[in-house]
Amino acid sequence: MTNAELITEAKKARERAYVPYSHHSVGAALVTKSGKIYHGCNIENAAYGPTNCAERTAFFRAVYEGEREFTKIAVVGGMEGTDGNALCAPCGVCRQVMMEFCNPKTFKIVLADGEDRQVEYTLEELLPLGFGPDNLDK
């Protein structure tokens, strides 16, 4: 799947965001090793702390379905009513969840602004010296 196709999937997921407080909707499209796509959107909560990001929503859905190997995720975010007006990088908690399931050297994170701009990083680039399951091996 091309980055452009994956970005389109992330935009579709973004349409389902529940953002009555910030009005900043985010969509994510996560690709498994087998090529299956899992979608996620951000889901806000009045208490803020229980809010869940789009990336974690996608990962948790996939893990629930039995998936454990992932290759790439696309993330699109911005204010409601826009196609995505800024690059929206995963928060630290989402990056940590990615470390649990992904190889930081090979897992790709595609960020798009909904228009023409897109960038791609590895998880290692966004979370250098990340802590993951390999750190617990004896």
Side-chain angles (χ1 to χ4, degrees):
M1 169 164 284
T2 68
N3 285 355
E5 292 169 327
L6 196 58
I7 289 166
T8 298
E9 292 298 315
K11 285 180 182 181
K12 289 179 191 175
R14 185 173 170 247
E15 294 172 6
R16 295 187 174 222
Y18 176 74
V19 291
Y21 309 106
S22 73
H23 305 286
H24 186 269
S25 58
V26 181
L30 174 65
V31 182
T32 67
K33 185 177 179 181
S34 67
K36 188 168 181 181
I37 299 172
Y38 285 88
H39 299 86
C41 64
N42 57 325
I43 303 166
E44 292 183 345
N45 186 283
Y48 290 104
T51 293
N52 202 57
C53 298
E55 300 91 330
R56 281 182 283 145
T57 300
F59 268 94
F60 295 162
R61 289 180 72 193
V63 170
Y64 173 78
E65 294 292 330
E67 299 287 351
R68 298 292 188 274
E69 297 183 67
F70 307 96
T71 60
K72 187 187 309 189
I73 192 168
V75 182
V76 177
M79 296 307 291
E80 287 180 306
T82 70
D83 285 337
N85 55 357
L87 295 179
C88 186
C91 74
V93 175
C94 288
R95 294 175 198 197
Q96 186 60 48
V97 168
M98 291 175 191
M99 279 295 296
E100 185 69 23
F101 297 102
C102 304
N103 180 328
K105 294 183 183 308
T106 61
F107 184 73
K108 304 290 185 186
I109 300 166
V110 179
L111 309 178
D113 68 2
E115 295 175 10
D116 296 334
R117 187 169 177 216
Q118 64 175 274
V119 293
E120 181 178 286
Y121 299 96
T122 63
L123 177 55
E124 184 175 57
E125 290 173 310
L126 292 184
L127 188 62
L129 302 174
F131 185 86
D134 291 345
N135 296 100
L136 300 176
D137 288 345
K138 295 180 181 183

